[in-house]
């Protein structure tokens, strides 16, 4: 038996998304072609756009399909900076939080190197993983000129929900533009433009049961973004390249299949069981508001790699809490920013449930955790 608890990395494909993609693949044509087949593909893309727009509380022309969350984040940051520069109204400051996904952090660092006079600041977070609003206020008050702020809605490692409405109101107070990476919020809490109150949102299909390789940027009507990819006039001229019709159809079907924000009951049951098996375990961000699917937990003295591999052998897919890319486990900048003890952070694993997780899955994982932690500690003690 395999049980999958790594939905923050990629959620299992929803059957509705698979069906929509198969239907679209059966009639593939270029949505820009004028013949009947092309028009049918265009209709699929337009229908999908309307679904994403409805989900995001925006109009269809506010939705730009991209190759995923990473590209949408890059389009938001580079695109907003470039559009302002072209209009002679350069941003002077770029403010991100210290716990952003690398696709925001690294893009912000590249953008700061590319735009002379742009000052990059990283807002600190509390030990619970919440963005420090007073630090953000101070940064917004410092310096002259307009700021671009990019702060996520939900952290991918801890599941901590950021105070986006308070961030948005600080941004408004200081005439800053607010981009919010909502990749880990979608499907787990209300995540539209009005809910999060941002000017620009990023979504990614594979985090909600859609396919990999497609995402979207959603902007308020007054937001100016310049394209990063040039060529055809697709996506209102904001993103050149033939639309990935089948992936886009799968994305919309996954969004349409979202029933309700994930409840916290399964997570709470899981955490109680994990803690009762290992009372000195630490759950990161436990006192903060968190989405209902994510637990970032460390059993002191049991390295994350040991736990991840042992759980895998028992049939459970989880990931190391530390940022893990290309199979390499590196130190987590998120746990570092939260001031976690480095030895403890090295033991952190991330358990992330999804749309098909059951109470039996949770009970089985808790049993496996108990067995592995007890065995690993007994070995160390021997
Ligand atoms: N933003 C967050 C918060 C994420 O968790 C991820 C993926 O892990 C991304 C952006 C990147 O999305 P994608 O994999 O679609 O490029």
């Amino acid at each position: 038996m395999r049980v999958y608890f790594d939905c923050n990395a990629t959620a299992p494909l929803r059957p509705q998304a698979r069906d929509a993609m198969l239907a679209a693949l059966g009639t593939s044509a270029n949505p820009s072609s004028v013949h009947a087949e092309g028009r049918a593909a265009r209709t699929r893309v337009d229908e999908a756009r309307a679904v994403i727009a409805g989900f995001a509380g925006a109009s269809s022309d506010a939705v730009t399909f991209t190759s995923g969350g990473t590209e949408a984040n890059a389009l938001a940051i580079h695109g907003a900076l470039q559009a302002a520069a072209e209009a002679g109204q350069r941003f002077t400051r770029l403010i991100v939080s210290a716990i952003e996904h690398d696709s925001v952090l690294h893009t912000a660092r590249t953008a700061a190197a590319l735009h002379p006079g742009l000052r990059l600041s990283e807002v600190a977070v509390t030990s619970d993983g919440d963005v420090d609003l007073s630090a953000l206020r101070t940064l917004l008050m410092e310096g002259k000129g307009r700021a671009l702020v990019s702060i996520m809605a939900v952290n991918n490692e801890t599941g901590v929900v950021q105070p986006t409405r308070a961030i948005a109101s600080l941004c408004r107070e200081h005439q800053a533009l607010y981009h919010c990476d909502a990749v880990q919020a979608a499907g787990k809490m209300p995540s539209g433009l009005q809910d999060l109150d941002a000017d620009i949102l990023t979504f990614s299909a594979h985090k909600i049961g859609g396919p990999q390789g497609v995402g979207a940027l959603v902007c308020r009507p007054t937001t100016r973004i310049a394209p990063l990819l040039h060529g055809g006039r697709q996506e209102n001229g904001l993103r050149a390249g033939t639309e990935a019709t089948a992936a886009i159809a799968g994305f919309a079907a996954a969004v349409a299949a979202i029933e309700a924000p994930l409840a916290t009951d399964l997570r709470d049951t899981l955490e109680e069981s994990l803690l009762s098996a290992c009372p000195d375990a630490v759950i990161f961000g436990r006192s903060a508001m968190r989405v209902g699917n994510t637990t970032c937990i460390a059993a002191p003295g049991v390295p994350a790699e040991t736990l991840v591999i042992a759980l895998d052998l028992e049939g459970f897919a989880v990931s190391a809490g530390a940022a893990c890319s290309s199979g390499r486990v590196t130190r987590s900048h998120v746990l570092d920013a939260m001031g976690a003890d480095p030895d403890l952070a090295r033991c952190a694993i991330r358990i992330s449930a999804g749309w098909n997780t059951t109470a039996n899955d949770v009970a089985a994982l808790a049993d496996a955790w108990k067995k592995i932690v007890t065995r690993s500690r007994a070995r160390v003690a021997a």
Side-chain angles (χ1 to χ4, degrees):
M1 183 187 77
R2 293 291 306 173
V3 186
Y4 188 78
F5 275 102
D6 198 14
C7 296
N8 285 11
T10 289
L13 192 66
R14 293 181 191 257
Q16 297 90 333
R18 187 193 311 263
D19 292 348
M21 283 191 289
L22 287 174
L25 285 170
T27 56
S28 57
N30 193 315
S32 298
S33 297
V34 293
H35 46 62
E37 291 83 351
R39 293 198 308 276
R42 168 62 52 212
T43 302
R44 281 193 202 283
V45 172
D46 287 347
E47 285 173 359
R49 197 184 306 284
V51 171
I52 306 297
F55 175 75
S59 58
S60 284
D61 58 5
V63 176
T64 304
F65 287 116
T66 65
S67 64
T70 299
E71 186 191 326
N73 283 338
L75 181 57
I77 294 173
H78 286 304
L81 293 172
Q82 185 59 31
E86 284 167 10
Q89 296 161 348
R90 285 181 184 282
F91 286 97
T92 54
R93 287 159 303 142
L94 174 56
I95 302 175
V96 299
S97 83
I99 56 163
E100 292 304 304
H101 187 263
D102 279 349
S103 58
V104 165
L105 276 181
H106 294 184
T107 299
R109 289 171 196 159
T110 310
L114 286 174
H115 288 264
L118 181 71
R119 201 179 83 208
L120 172 63
S121 314
E122 287 180 16
V123 195
V125 297
T126 65
S127 55
D128 272 328
D130 284 316
V131 161
D132 182 339
L133 289 172
S134 64
L136 174 61
R137 182 191 299 275
T138 307
L139 283 172
L140 283 168
M141 279 173 9
E142 277 172 1
K144 288 204 167 56
R146 197 168 182 224
L148 170 60
V149 174
S150 181
I151 297 182
M152 66 196 342
V154 170
N155 183 263
N156 43 302
E157 290 185 33
T158 60
V160 172
V161 177
Q162 299 304 320
T164 60
R165 298 188 67 83
I167 293 167
S169 90
L170 279 175
C171 287
R172 260 194 305 276
E173 221 176 279
H174 295 276
Q175 288 85 46
L177 184 66
Y178 178 28
H179 164 246
C180 177
D181 174 347
V183 163
Q184 295 290 351
K188 300 169 190 162
M189 56 181 266
S191 303
L193 281 170
Q194 291 77 14
D195 307 306
L196 300 173
D197 209 11
D199 298 307
I200 315 173
L201 295 180
T202 288
F203 295 109
S204 172
H206 71 111
K207 309 293 185 176
I208 52 166
Q212 296 170 336
V214 63
L217 193 73
V218 178
C219 300
R220 284 196 197 272
T222 49
T223 312
R224 294 283 158 263
I225 303 280
L228 304 185
L229 300 181
H230 302 271
R233 294 286 308 155
Q234 290 94 345
E235 301 299 300
N236 276 331
L238 244 190
R239 203 269 184 183
T242 303
E243 296 91 340
T245 312
I248 288 171
F251 181 11
V255 163
I258 294 172
E259 278 157 6
L262 282 177
T264 52
D265 331 6
L266 279 185
R267 183 203 65 198
D268 292 346
T269 309
L270 174 68
E271 292 183 354
E272 274 165 32
S273 311
L274 300 179
L275 289 174
S276 83
C278 178
D280 60 338
V282 175
I283 295 173
F284 296 95
R286 193 171 182 207
S287 347
M289 198 204 290
R290 286 179 296 146
V291 284
N293 83 315
T294 310
T295 298
C296 183
I297 187 166
V302 186
E305 293 94 303
T306 307
L307 259 175
V308 170
I309 292 167
L311 281 169
D312 190 31
L313 291 173
E314 295 283 333
F316 298 89
V318 303
S319 70
C324 180
S325 56
S326 318
R328 269 185 322 117
V329 179
T330 52
R331 202 169 146 148
S332 161
H333 68 277
V334 174
L335 300 183
D336 271 356
M338 290 164 67
D341 173 340
D343 287 336
L344 189 62
R346 267 191 286 277
C347 299
I349 62 164
R350 179 185 67 187
I351 300 167
S352 51
W355 58 269
N356 59 353
T357 307
T358 64
N360 283 346
D361 297 340
V362 163
L365 175 64
D367 286 346
W369 154 277
K370 183 173 184 178
K371 186 168 126 188
I372 293 163
V373 171
T374 311
R375 187 178 65 205
S376 165
R377 285 189 166 168
R379 269 202 201 125
V380 173

